[in-house]
Amino acid sequence: MTRFLHYAAFFVGLAAVCWVGAGYIGSNPLALAITLLIGAFYVIGALELRRYHQATATLANAVAGLSAPPASLGPWLDTLHPSLQNAVRLRVEGERAALPGPALTPYLTGLLVLLGMLGTFLGMVVTLSGTGTALESASDLQAIRSSLAAPVKGLGLAFGTSLAGVAASAMLGLLSALCRRDRLQAGQRLDTRIATSLRVFSQAHQREQSFQLLQ
């Protein structure tokens, strides 16, 4: 079910960007360029979240396989994704280390909205500039109507790119929330194992063993 939500959120955002971009093919190169840029950053964020989710899966599988304490901590850590090995080792030893999160995605969710707003401002500039030119050159009502038809099309650039940016940002934010939820659940299961199967590798347990030997 979780995997279905991941794929559904990704394809909904991608479909929104493609739908907006398809309307600009052959009619508005500037709007098409901005929409393609939004789609590129959206895919970059989705790829980072995919790698993040795959790293979480290695942690979940490693924790699920801990029915008994491993013979050594090193080989067990080698089964984890490299981005998690140091943080997990510190947590097993008793340090309050947080598991790493996505680096680019929080920035990209805001950038997608800003790119949509950039398209909005450019569309407004095209519309206002064309409207002023049309009003200056037209002499009667019919000529004014005909002249305003082309500038008003600039509003399509304004609202279309905003729609693509907001939709992509919303779906990327949803993907990020789902991936963070999976990482949180894996971290909670890890903490449970640290208190049981992995306790022999903690610094507190080693201090207890040293104290018993001294006694």
Side-chain angles (χ1 to χ4, degrees):
M1 183 63 180
T2 302
R3 179 175 296 182
F4 172 76
L5 289 176
H6 282 261
Y7 283 112
F10 171 73
F11 284 112
V12 166
L14 186 62
V17 175
C18 292
W19 176 68
V20 172
Y24 295 134
I25 296 177
S27 61
N28 200 324
L30 179 59
L32 180 61
I34 294 177
T35 306
L36 290 177
L37 190 61
I38 290 173
F41 282 119
Y42 176 71
V43 172
I44 290 173
L47 289 176
E48 183 191 31
L49 290 178
R50 178 176 174 79
R51 291 191 294 268
Y52 180 81
H53 182 68
Q54 290 174 343
T56 302
T58 62
L59 176 61
N61 293 333
V63 171
L66 278 177
S67 57
S72 177
L73 184 61
W76 181 79
L77 288 175
D78 290 338
T79 63
L80 303 178
H81 192 271
S83 64
L84 290 173
Q85 291 178 1
N86 186 56
V88 171
R89 179 183 60 80
L90 292 176
R91 291 185 74 156
V92 170
E93 292 176 353
E95 300 289 339
R96 300 185 63 181
L99 298 178
L104 289 176
T105 302
Y107 170 75
L108 291 178
T109 52
L111 179 63
L112 293 173
V113 176
L114 292 177
L115 287 175
M117 293 177 62
L118 175 63
T120 299
F121 294 144
L122 291 177
M124 293 298 181
V125 168
V126 171
T127 301
L128 295 177
S129 176
T131 301
T133 303
L135 292 176
E136 290 176 356
S137 60
S139 57
D140 57 0
L141 182 59
Q142 185 62 34
I144 292 176
R145 290 179 178 178
S146 301
S147 301
L148 288 179
V152 170
K153 291 181 180 179
L155 292 176
L157 167 62
F159 298 112
T161 56
S162 294
L163 175 61
V166 171
S169 176
M171 291 301 102
L172 192 62
L174 177 58
L175 281 171
S176 178
L178 292 173
C179 290
R180 288 179 180 275
R181 185 196 63 178
D182 294 340
R183 177 65 62 88
L184 178 61
Q185 291 175 351
Q188 291 173 347
R189 290 193 290 269
L190 173 64
D191 292 337
T192 301
R193 296 298 186 182
I194 288 174
T196 55
S197 303
L198 296 175
R199 190 176 183 276
V200 294
F201 302 105
S202 66
Q203 294 180 355
H205 179 76
Q206 293 174 3
R207 285 193 296 266
E208 291 176 1
Q209 293 295 105
S210 300
F211 180 72
Q212 291 177 1
L213 290 174
L214 288 175
Q215 285 182 325

